Amino acid sequence: MSGLDFDRLGQLALRLEQDAGALRARAASLRDAAGAVVWRGRGADAFRACVGGQAGALRTTAGRLDDAADALRRHARAARRVEEVAEAAAALGRSVAHGVRAVAGAVADAL
């Protein structure tokens, strides 16, 4: 009725979660690679701090992707529920209309 493809919304949410996982893996790899560099001094400390900041930004973005996936799933559930209620209301409307026609016909026959 709404035109929403609920399966597709679920697939998109899963893709967002997969991308979040990939970002977390990239952040860990970046942090580990920076930590493995044999380099001492203020420049090394500044480099590692910068890399740590970038890794933190990747983790933050991953968390936001997870939040977006959750929001997408909540939206899909709510939209599906609205669609179910609308379909039930339409069926009730058809039933009432049928009943009204039947009563009107009976009244017309009685007159």
Side-chain angles (χ1 to χ4, degrees), residues 42-67:
R42 288 189 332 213
D45 294 342
F47 171 76
R48 288 188 185 94
C50 181
V51 168
Q54 293 302 310
L58 290 173
R59 287 189 300 274
T60 297
T61 301
R64 289 179 179 159
L65 287 175
D66 286 333
D67 292 345

Side-chain angles (χ1 to χ4, degrees), residues 87-106:
E87 288 171 358
L92 179 60
R94 288 189 298 274
S95 178
V96 167
H98 177 73
V100 167
R101 282 191 299 274
V103 169

